[in-house]
Amino acid sequence: MANAIPQQQASLEPAAGWALALPLSAVLGVWWQLQASALQPLAVYALATALGLLVLGVRTKMVHGNTSPTKPMGFWVALALALVMWGVTGTRAVFQERERLDTAWEGRDVAVQARVLDLPVKNAQSVRLILALASVPDGVRLPSRVAVHWYVWGQQAWPDLRSGERWAMTLRLRRVHGASNPHGFDRELWWWQQGVGATGYVRNGPHDPSPVRLLAASPWSLDAARHAVVRAIDHQVGDARAAGVLRALVVGEQAAIEREDWAMFRTTGVAHLMSISGLHVTMFAWLATAFLRAAWRRLAWVWPSAVLAWPTPTVAAWGGVALATAYAAFSGWGVPAQRTVLMLAVVVALRSGSRRWPWPVVWAVAMWAVVCWDPWALLQAGFWLSFVAVAILIGSDAHPPKRARSESLGARFWAWWGRLWREQSLITLALVPMTLLWFGQVSWVSWLANLAAIPWVTLVVTPLAMMGVLVPPLWSVAAAAVGAMVGVLGVMAQWPWAFSTWAVPPWPLGVLAVLGGVVAVMPWPWVVRGLGLMAVVPAFWFSPIRPSVGEFELVALDVGQGSAVLVRTAHHTLLYDTGPSHGPDADAADSVVLPHVWTLGERLHTVVVSHADSDHAGGAASVTHAFAQARWLSSFDEQAERRCVAGQHWEWDGVRFEVVHPAPDDYGPNGQGRLSSNAMSCVVLVSNGQRRAWLGGDIDADRETHWALQHPHVRADVMLAPHHGSASSSSPVLLNTLQPRWVLVQAGYRNRFGHPAQVVVDRYAERGIDWVASPQCGAATWRSVQPNTVECHRITHRRYWHRP
């Protein structure tokens, strides 16, 4: 009998090992499917799933009765499980692909009846709605869920829209399309995860039929309750800034938080606290579990049979999950909240059984369950940050010290504070490589900011905000708490060393650094932890390959209907145009240009803004704030030394930059342009003596022709299409003079101007000029060492959810 005990313990170890390997192999199967650039036929996925299930069935019978499978059997089981997950994920993707808008219905008006889902999001010019289409005309096939903007024109009143209402309206839809840039936000994936198959807008102009509300939301519905809470918060809290944070914490309305506050939260590393994330749902579940445990124990004095029938730990655990689910639903049932609820349910289920599974197994099974629910979560930073943080907290504290019940309240508080300090230190250190891999930046104040903000938000602000639903005056107290927190975080965000940016390393180096960060904080021998720290170093030493001396690289970023081009030499960087403005609160520089510059580990030396139109200068303020030390040139600056004038030139690393337009005479005595804004565009010629690039802004055909006739011997290998390929530019004389091999067209998808114009495209074709446009190419990269090639990010990094 004594010998049987060690044998049994030894037999459990391989069982736990396979219990860890199998869910991870399933996750690997999902990851494999997500790398596909195009979907396979449904029959292929069905066959793969059936084959995997067959192998699983056969191997399960073979190992029936054994404690653990043999290594060969285990390998085939893991492979079959990965194949099943690959097939199931592909099958789901095929059916979801069928929910996307058919190209035949793009840009056409369709009268529909639809129900408003979730809270409407109001911005400066419109209200964004998620609609569930309930009725469409016969013969029309539309997605079941769409995202549209309801624009407010002229003196129109803002619509009073509420979640749960049913409307009759006319929509103009298009297929989901987003910008495609290196390390950029994948909006198409985001909409895919939301189940949105088309985007568009409500037709509500003076000549369109007016939308009609058909059915109001039920006053007893969850939608009506959330809307009532939003209005009550706005009524109770006079400070819009604090009210936005409270709305985000109570009902999950992240759009209510102002842009400047989001920037401050990201800089200080506390952005995860300002939305309904896993931390909030987990904390709510913990509080609910503690409350139910205490209440159920008290029930023993009144109803002892109930406590005997349903043990206190079971009631408390599952009741906590149920209440956390209700909280997540009330807060909008966002994807992070869904993942957290599912993870909590899996953990409770495994912990409720008779077998005590090791924490890595519980962690891996929870990850598998979340990936089964939402396969595309594997591509989200929040997923990995959450699971890695949980692994660090559990793995680094597998044997927490036990405290005596006789400890004083003060001793317990300081013990809790010490534990929080330790956990936050470990997480901050371990997640530095991961934030570098995902975002290309590290917040050095995040440890201190989170040390203060986590208990303040989770134990003060959020409880007050939630209790305000029952006692509205508590929202005023919560708003004061938010104001105090924002004041402290604002001071931290202004520290010069608050955060730093680095080049995003390639994924092998990034994964190595992440694993090294985890190893470094585990309670293992210092030699092993030191090796973990060494594994982190290469990611921070990494520097993207730059052009060699005498060569240059040009990247036309995908910024929609606008222009932003990055030119890099061996040691210098120039930005030509700053992208379009998207309203008073957003611009392409903040969302596309600056993140791209930071992920390259770059700093801008010179910024040229061709002219004052908002599609070229819309991001100037954001770029100025980020790179105040850069030299600026434009055609509309009041300072003479900051104006672009023909004849200006400089040389970087063997590459010459020359301004060739406008001429000095094109400026008036006070510095204002004598020509139209487009005609005043700064034109820059970049040359290394053998290869040339021509950047022309929105220069018109008259100015093109005049310049080309004055410079008949100038040639260019690549040309930025003037005025986005408008019919009023790309004149035959200019094309005949420059004779470019490539033309890069920066234009928006299905833009209302029709860029590039067909007449211009025909001119390119007549002269054998190859051209690419950002809607189909994404960010276009041209290099002087490979002048005959343009690399399109949308093509090289295509996934099946991207529009072809």
Side-chain angles (χ1 to χ4, degrees), residues 8-331:
Q8 182 181 14
Q9 290 176 344
S11 65
L12 286 176
E13 291 181 2
W18 284 113
L20 175 63
L22 293 182
L24 292 181
S25 66
V27 173
L28 186 61
V30 175
W31 178 86
W32 175 26
Q33 196 279 331
L34 298 184
Q35 307 311 304
S37 60
L39 290 173
Q40 300 294 327
L42 181 60
V44 174
Y45 293 120
L47 180 62
T49 304
L51 180 61
L53 291 174
L54 178 62
V55 174
L56 285 176
V58 171
R59 293 298 179 183
T60 301
K61 288 184 178 181
M62 292 179 65
V63 301
H64 183 67
N66 296 331
T67 304
S68 63
T70 62
K71 289 184 179 180
M73 289 182 181
F75 170 78
W76 286 107
V77 170
L79 184 61
L81 192 56
L83 187 62
V84 169
M85 293 304 298
W86 180 85
V88 170
T89 304
T91 300
R92 290 180 59 179
V94 168
F95 283 103
Q96 186 159 333
E97 173 68 24
R98 295 177 180 177
E99 279 289 300
R100 303 179 87 173
L101 181 68
D102 192 287
T103 54
W105 289 99
E106 281 193 296
R108 298 172 62 178
D109 291 349
V110 183
V112 303
Q113 292 184 17
R115 185 170 64 90
V116 179
L117 302 177
D118 209 351
L119 294 174
V121 178
K122 183 179 178 181
N123 56 41
Q125 300 172 322
S126 66
V127 179
R128 193 191 72 194
L129 306 170
I130 306 296
L131 301 177
L133 301 188
S135 176
V136 299
D138 294 337
V140 178
R141 189 178 69 86
L142 298 179
S144 58
R145 180 177 293 194
V146 299
V148 299
H149 283 269
W150 183 317
Y151 289 97
V152 177
W153 309 104
Q155 301 300 317
Q156 287 182 345
W158 285 92
D160 182 17
L161 298 163
R162 303 190 181 189
S163 179
E165 293 178 335
R166 183 162 176 157
W167 286 76
M169 58 181 62
T170 301
L171 304 179
R172 180 168 291 183
L173 301 174
R174 67 178 190 178
R175 299 192 72 177
V176 173
H177 189 280
S180 178
N181 294 286
H183 307 294
F185 177 65
D186 193 342
R187 187 166 297 278
E188 292 176 60
L189 172 61
W190 189 76
W191 282 127
W192 176 277
Q193 279 192 287
Q194 309 302 315
V196 170
T199 60
Y201 60 94
V202 178
R203 298 283 290 176
N204 64 324
H207 304 294
D208 299 314
S210 299
V212 178
R213 181 186 288 107
L214 300 177
L215 184 65
S218 170
W220 307 107
S221 67
L222 183 62
D223 293 328
R226 297 179 68 217
H227 188 84
V229 167
V230 168
R231 293 208 166 187
I233 290 176
D234 290 341
H235 177 74
Q236 181 69 34
V237 180
D239 182 6
R241 191 177 190 182
V245 174
L246 296 182
R247 287 164 62 176
L249 293 175
V250 177
V251 299
E253 190 183 1
Q254 297 183 36
I257 298 179
E258 297 182 2
R259 176 187 178 187
E260 292 77 12
D261 287 340
W262 272 125
M264 177 185 62
F265 296 149
R266 287 194 298 266
T267 299
T268 54
V270 301
H272 63 103
L273 296 174
M274 303 307 155
S275 58
I276 305 299
S277 62
L279 176 64
H280 297 85
V281 177
T282 303
M283 180 61 68
F284 188 90
W286 178 77
L287 292 174
T289 300
F291 171 78
L292 290 174
R293 183 184 295 112
W296 201 253
R297 285 172 177 169
R298 301 293 187 277
L299 189 65
W301 298 94
V302 181
W303 191 9
S305 59
V307 179
L308 292 175
W310 297 290
T312 299
T314 301
V315 171
W318 285 110
V321 172
L323 291 176
T325 303
Y327 171 55
F330 186 78
S331 65

Side-chain angles (χ1 to χ4, degrees), residues 509-632:
L509 278 182
V511 172
L512 178 65
V514 170
L515 294 176
V518 173
V519 169
V521 300
M522 288 296 176
W524 296 340
W526 281 104
V527 174
V528 178
R529 300 169 75 174
L531 292 175
L533 286 175
M534 292 176 62
V536 174
V537 173
F540 284 86
W541 275 357
F542 169 76
S543 179
I545 298 176
R546 299 188 66 100
S548 57
V549 175
E551 303 294 344
F552 64 99
E553 173 188 271
L554 184 150
V555 181
L557 294 169
D558 185 1
V559 293
Q561 187 64 26
S563 180
V565 180
L566 203 67
V567 183
R568 298 199 305 157
T569 65
H571 304 291
H572 296 82
T573 305
L574 176 140
L575 177 64
Y576 182 85
D577 282 339
T578 60
S581 170
H582 301 313
D585 298 327
D587 56 68
D590 189 53
S591 60
V592 175
V593 178
L594 294 177
H596 179 73
V597 173
W598 288 329
T599 56
L600 289 175
E602 295 283 0
R603 70 182 185 92
L604 300 179
H605 298 86
T606 297
V607 179
V608 178
V609 183
S610 61
H611 60 297
D613 287 4
S614 63
D615 56 337
H616 294 252
S622 296
V623 176
T624 302
H625 178 74
F627 295 100
Q629 84 292 340
R631 177 194 181 195
W632 282 73

Side-chain angles (χ1 to χ4, degrees), residues 436-450:
L436 173 66
L437 178 61
W438 281 100
F439 309 114
Q441 64 183 41
V442 175
S443 173
W444 299 116
V445 299
S446 64
W447 173 80
L448 180 60
N450 278 281

